[in-house]
Amino acid sequence: MFGKPFVRTLISRSAENRTDRRRFLKAAGAAGLGVVGATYLGVQATSSASATGEAAAVAEAPSDAAVLNFALNLEYLEAEFYSFAVHGRGLPDDLTGGVGAQGGVVGGKKVMFHDKTLHQFAKEIAGDEVAHVKFLRGALGEAAVSRPEIDLKDSFTAAAKAAGLISEYQQFDPFANEKNFLLAAYLFEDVGVTAYKGAAPLITNKTFLDAAAGILAAEAYHAATIRTSLFDRDLGDAAAKISNARDALDGPGVDDQGILLGNQANIVPADNNGICFGRGADRVLNIVYLNPGPVKEGGFFPKGVNGDIVASGGA
C-alpha cells in the first residue's frame, strides 16, 4: 500500500502555499488524509517500483491549485464578457485581486436585447459565470490569481477576421447586436467545455474534481443553449467558420464541430460514442491567445494569464 510520504507528496502537489494546503486538507476531510487517503491508501501497489512510478508522475503533474487557477483565468474572461453584455459593467473590484499582475478590461458594453428569451438565457449564464469566479477564488483562498488584463475589443475583431466572418478592414463588435453576441459567446463556450474536460484527469483531489465536474456540466448547458440559439437563427455557416478557426489554432487534428452536420442539427459535438473531446491547457491557450504557435500572451489576454500554466502549444 502507498505510505504516508506518498500521500504527503500528493497533498503538497495540490497546494501552492501553507494556507492553500490547509484549505485543501479541510476540503478533503477533517480526518487529515480525508479523500486523498481513501483514494490512494486503499489501492494495493503491485510493487515498490509501481509506487515509485506513481509518485514520479504526481511530481511532474501540475498541482490542483495550478489547474484551478488556470480555470479561474478563463472564468474571469467569460464572467467579464457576459456581465458587460447583460449589465453593462464588469466584475466588482473585490473579485479581481490576487496573486500575479492585476489587469483591466478593454471594451465591453451592454447588449440591446430584443429577444426576451435570449435575454433571460444571457442573464442566467452571466450569473453562473460570476458564481464560478467566486467559487474558484474561495476554493483557492490566498493562492487565487488576480484577473489578468482582458481585451474584449480588438481580440474579437482579430478572431472574426481569422474565421473569415469579416474582411480585413472591418471591425467586429460582439456587443453590437444579438447575432454578434451569440457568435462571440459560441467562441467561448465550446472552449470552456473542452478545457474542463481536458483538465479533469489532472485533478487529484476528489472534492475539487467533483466541483470541476459540476462547473463542466454548467458550461456544457451554457454551450448547448448558445448552440441551439445559433441554430434557431440559421447561423450554421458562421458557426462553422468559428469552429474551423478554433481547429486551425489548437494544433493538428479535426475535433471541433459546428452546429450542423450535413443539414441536421449538431447541438452536442460528440464522437460516435456520444463522448465530447477535451483540450489540454496549452491548446486552450492557443485559442484564447489567437496564435497557433508557442506563446505566452496575446488575443483575449494581451499580457498572458496568471498562474503556473501560461504557455500555449504549437507545432
Side-chain angles (χ1 to χ4, degrees):
M1 297 175 69
F2 295 123
K4 290 184 178 180
F6 176 59
V7 176
R8 283 197 295 269
T9 299
L10 287 166
I11 295 173
S12 221
R13 289 298 302 162
S14 296
E16 292 183 339
N17 55 37
R18 291 180 181 178
T19 301
D20 188 38
R21 188 176 294 105
R22 288 195 296 271
R23 184 180 298 273
F24 174 85
L25 287 170
K26 183 177 180 181
L33 296 179
V35 174
V36 176
T39 303
Y40 289 97
L41 292 181
V43 177
Q44 178 68 42
T46 56
S47 66
S48 59
S50 175
T52 301
E54 290 282 353
V58 169
E60 294 175 0
S63 70
D64 282 0
V67 174
L68 295 182
N69 265 321
F70 175 71
L72 179 56
N73 281 280
L74 301 180
E75 295 294 349
Y76 280 135
L77 176 59
E78 290 189 307
E80 293 289 358
F81 169 73
Y82 283 110
S83 292
F84 271 108
V86 172
H87 305 295
R89 61 181 183 275
L91 290 169
D93 291 342
D94 62 352
L95 291 181
T96 61
V99 179
Q102 183 176 351
V105 179
V106 177
K109 62 184 179 183
K110 191 172 184 178
V111 175
M112 297 303 294
F113 289 99
H114 300 288
D115 185 321
K116 293 182 179 179
T117 299
L118 179 59
H119 192 198
Q120 289 184 46
F121 290 164
K123 285 196 294 185
E124 182 177 4
I125 295 174
D128 290 342
E129 299 300 356
V130 174
H132 291 169
V133 169
K134 291 179 180 179
F135 172 79
L136 289 173
R137 286 174 59 85
L140 287 160
E142 293 180 2
V145 296
S146 63
R147 179 194 62 200
E149 183 174 322
I150 292 174
D151 184 337
L152 295 177
K153 184 181 178 181
D154 295 336
S155 57
F156 276 111
T157 293
K161 287 180 180 178
L165 293 177
I166 59 175
S167 70
E168 181 181 354
Y169 303 102
Q170 290 180 307
Q171 300 292 313
F172 182 87
D173 181 357
F175 306 98
N177 51 57
E178 292 173 340
K179 172 185 173 182
N180 284 13
F181 163 77
L182 282 171
L183 291 172
Y186 174 62
L187 173 63
F188 285 150
E189 287 300 343
D190 278 23
V191 175
V193 173
T194 59
Y196 276 101
K197 168 75 185 305
L202 302 177
I203 300 176
T204 59
N205 175 258
K206 283 190 175 181
T207 300
F208 291 163
L209 178 58
D210 180 73
I215 297 178
L216 168 58
E219 296 293 351
Y221 279 121
H222 296 168
T225 299
I226 298 301
R227 293 173 73 93
T228 301
S229 298
L230 287 166
F231 179 82
D232 286 342
R233 289 165 174 75
D234 295 322
L235 292 172
D237 289 343
K241 291 180 179 180
I242 294 174
S243 176
N244 291 338
R246 288 190 302 231
D247 246 338
L249 285 168
D250 74 352
V254 181
D255 298 310
D256 210 295
Q257 298 177 22
I259 63 172
L260 294 175
L261 278 181
N263 294 320
Q264 300 298 310
N266 185 44
I267 303 305
V268 182
D271 63 15
N272 292 334
N273 295 312
I275 298 174
C276 296
F277 77 101
R279 286 185 174 96
D282 57 341
R283 298 305 182 186
V284 171
L285 289 173
N286 280 126
I287 295 174
V288 296
Y289 288 163
L290 299 178
N291 193 318
V295 297
K296 294 184 178 180
E297 60 183 33
F300 295 96
F301 297 104
K303 296 182 180 179
V305 297
N306 285 322
D308 292 335
I309 303 174
V310 300
S312 65

